[in-house]
Amino acid sequence: MTRSLKTLLSLLAVLGLVAAACGSDDDAGGGDTKAAFVMVAPVGDAGWNFMHDQGRQAAEAATGVETAFVEAIPEGGAEFDDAVQQFIDDGYNVIFTTSFGYMDATEAFAADNPDVVFEHISGYKMNDTNFGNTFGRMYQPRYIAGMAAGAATESNKIGYVAAFPFPEVIRGINAFTLGVRRVNPDAEVEVAWTATWFDPTVEGNAAQALLDAGADVLTMHQDSTATGQAATDAGATFVGYHSDMSSQVGNYLTAPVWNWTDRYTDVINAAKDGTYTPESWWGGMADGVVDIEIPSESPVAAEMQQVKDQIIAGEFDVFEGEILAQDGSVMVAAGEKLDDGAMLGMTTFVEGVIGSAEG
Amino acid sequence: MNEVTLVGLMLYLAALGELIAEKAGVLNLGVEGMMAVGGVAAFWSGTEFGNPLIGLLIAGIAGGLLALVHGLVAVVMGADQVVSGLALTILGLGMSAFLGQDYVSLPAVPQFGALPLGPLKDLRIVGPIVFNQSWLAWVAVGLGISTWFVLERTRVGLGLRAVGESAATADAAGQSVVVTRVAAVVAGGVLAGFGGAYLTLNLAKGWTEGVTAGRGWIAVALVIFGAWRPGRTAVGALLFGGLLALEPRLQTFGVEISPILISMLPYVITIGVLTAFSIQARHRPSAAPAAIGRAYRREER
């Protein structure tokens, strides 16, 4: 047993070295303020975490503040506490925690460390002094992406590979479907749940099932590009998510994307100037945190641009009535708009979605 | 229905490798790590040389080399097989993430193409399922049959099984326990590497960290399900592959069942099979190799 223990320890030591070699510690100067990021998965995953890392790098360039990050830190584990404590001990005084499941642990750290600013991404908790949250109105570019998909489909069936039936995901599916049916009232959006954020095999299987069910345009709310690969192989069109995937996937149309740079820059600068006040910040396309590129080849490109301009100008609301629910009942009455609370708690599908909103 | 065989094939290659190692008495829980390293090796070399066959070979070598670590630690040095195997999984996943950093989500590279079987693939039902497979599928069938043949019908196989049933007896009969076991473990690693190659080239069609997503563990469960027999393991691979492929399809047919429940099924079935074995074992010898998991030291009795 001693021998095997030695073996294990030496293997772990090697792993530690590898992990240390992977970590980044860019020196940029910038006074006393230092910003740290805790990420739930490797930043190389081309999805959620990749975009956060892009934002981190750009914010570092914009503010001149030194930043660092740790990746692949599980939610609700001791690793998170260790990583955050280490950052605090090393003098980092702005800490971004970029996964929903970090929320309660971040809240506890904020209470114990009043001199450190904590900004949690995608949650809803905050305090009065040093703990706020940030998220983006992804449903806005999702709606525009839906318009592109609705104009592109010939079979009038669009496949949507989705992770979990959470309000965030359901809101995205609904916004997308409303966009689809704005330009193509006959088209329907079929949902296949995968019960995983990241598993290329399962995502690919779900995409294939949707293709076999007659979909000729696919999109997804996942962290891998497997749906895009399946669409490309089948000659179907792909609408991405998270980042511009045009270099990774053929038959790519467009994608609603994240852009955290400005928000990160603002929070870091506020912390640096001592003007940080916590808020529940839910930014939209007007703030630049979410965006979509208008594909010029789309027959509805002009209309997409128009909607984009209207949303940015605050003249158009995605969830403005009349909107019918999946079962035909009225979800949003004519002339009414859903408030943020209703959008954040969305659990039912709109008309035009095929599938169950319960997963 | 092609995904059934796609997923099943990946599982089968890895499970067949684990079966060979376990038949020699070595439990290798590093399948997940070996698949990951094989996957990244195949993706790298497949892209670099534009040829899936080279990708397959390099993946086999990478998987075999990693398995050799387990062979040295657990067989030659006699360390605990469970600990060493788990360490191998951690090491393999870490190494693959490190080596694959520059290959994340690159476009798909050449895949294993379909074997041209002419009009056969146009047959109704049977055509697309049986005769529209990549050539690696036929290689896997061949590997399964030859594994069965070597294990059950040749002296080499007899020696390997003897080492797995009673190492001391085999040793006394002049069979080198260490050489046999290390060879079996390395062969298992090569096949796990093949499974990883199939995953990144044909199934996920790309590399990202964590692409194996626990399939290596299903392969380990599959060996138990298959009662350490290549044929039954193949049936199990198709069944487990079918379960994975079935789930999204049920949804598109409007059947409401939680995807989480379906992804549990392979493990639930394996537990059921284990229970059945232990009930059976009251009447006749267990299907498991008797010496599995036990290090052999000549001086210990």
Side-chain angles (χ1 to χ4, degrees), chain B:
Chain B
M1 289 313 283
N2 212 11
E3 303 98 76
V4 177
T5 34
L6 280 173
V7 181
L9 177 58
M10 167 187 67
L11 294 175
Y12 188 55
L13 286 166
L16 200 59
E18 179 66 10
L19 183 148
I20 295 172
E22 290 192 13
K23 271 287 186 187
V26 186
L27 179 68
N28 185 355
L29 296 180
V31 182
E32 180 86 359
M34 299 188 297
M35 278 176 80
V37 167
V40 78
F43 192 78
W44 164 75
S45 50
T47 324
E48 203 73 13
F49 301 103
N51 184 337
L53 179 61
I54 295 177
L56 184 73
L57 295 178
I58 304 273
I61 293 169
L65 281 176
L66 197 59
L68 188 61
V69 175
H70 185 61
L72 293 177
V73 173
V75 178
V76 178
M77 286 152 62
D80 187 277
Q81 292 179 7
V82 172
V83 175
S84 169
L86 290 175
L88 200 68
T89 286
I90 301 169
L91 177 70
L93 289 176
M95 262 175 65
S96 63
F98 180 64
L99 296 173
Q101 279 181 100
D102 297 339
Y103 298 95
V104 173
S105 295
L106 288 181
V109 287
Q111 303 176 14
F112 301 106
L115 209 58
L117 291 171
L120 279 178
K121 77 171 164 59
D122 298 327
L123 290 174
R124 284 174 66 100
I125 303 170
V126 193
I129 298 177
V130 182
F131 295 112
N132 193 24
Q133 297 299 329
S134 69
W135 54 261
L136 190 62
W138 299 101
V139 171
V141 171
L143 282 170
I145 293 172
S146 41
T147 301
W148 167 81
F149 183 80
V150 171
L151 283 178
E152 303 295 332
R153 293 284 183 274
T154 67
R155 284 193 62 87
V156 176
L158 183 67
L160 189 144
R161 283 187 293 134
V163 167
E165 293 295 338
S166 170
T169 314
D171 194 16
Q175 177 86 16
S176 168
V177 175
V178 167
V179 169
T180 310
R181 284 189 163 178
V182 170
V185 168
V186 170
V190 170
L191 288 178
F194 285 0
Y198 197 69
L199 172 64
T200 51
L201 293 185
N202 269 44
L203 207 50
K205 295 172 190 128
W207 165 259
T208 17
E209 181 178 351
V211 71
T212 45
R215 303 292 181 272
W217 298 106
I218 295 195
V220 174
L222 197 51
V223 179
I224 301 165
F225 177 90
W228 291 268
R229 291 185 197 139
R232 258 177 80 162
T233 305
V235 174
L238 287 176
L239 177 68
F240 288 10
L243 286 173
L244 281 166
L246 176 73
E247 194 283 311
R249 220 148 275 268
L250 283 178
Q251 291 183 49
T252 57
F253 289 139
V255 182
E256 280 184 31
I257 178 165
S258 169
I260 302 167
L261 276 177
I262 303 240
S263 51
M264 274 166 50
L265 273 179
Y267 302 102
V268 173
I269 293 174
T270 303
I271 292 172
V273 168
L274 268 177
T275 315
F277 280 168
S278 58
I279 294 168
Q280 236 181 27
R282 290 181 195 161
H283 309 292
R284 55 189 166 106
S286 156
I292 191 162
R294 290 216 303 270
Y296 174 65
R297 292 191 191 86
R298 188 173 274 176
E299 66 274 20
E300 281 178 13
R301 285 288 179 270

Side-chain angles (χ1 to χ4, degrees), chain A residues 9 28 30 37 47 65 78 85 107 118 138 158 166 168 181 196 210 220 225 227 244 259 270 273 287 315:
Chain A
L9 286 176
F37 293 75
V65 164
Q85 192 58 53
E107 184 183 34
F118 289 88
M138 183 47 83
I158 296 162
F166 295 165
E168 177 199 347
R181 288 164 75 95
T196 173
L210 291 167
M220 55 81 181
T225 53
T227 303
D244 182 344
N259 182 0
D273 305 341
D287 307 287
E315 294 160 2

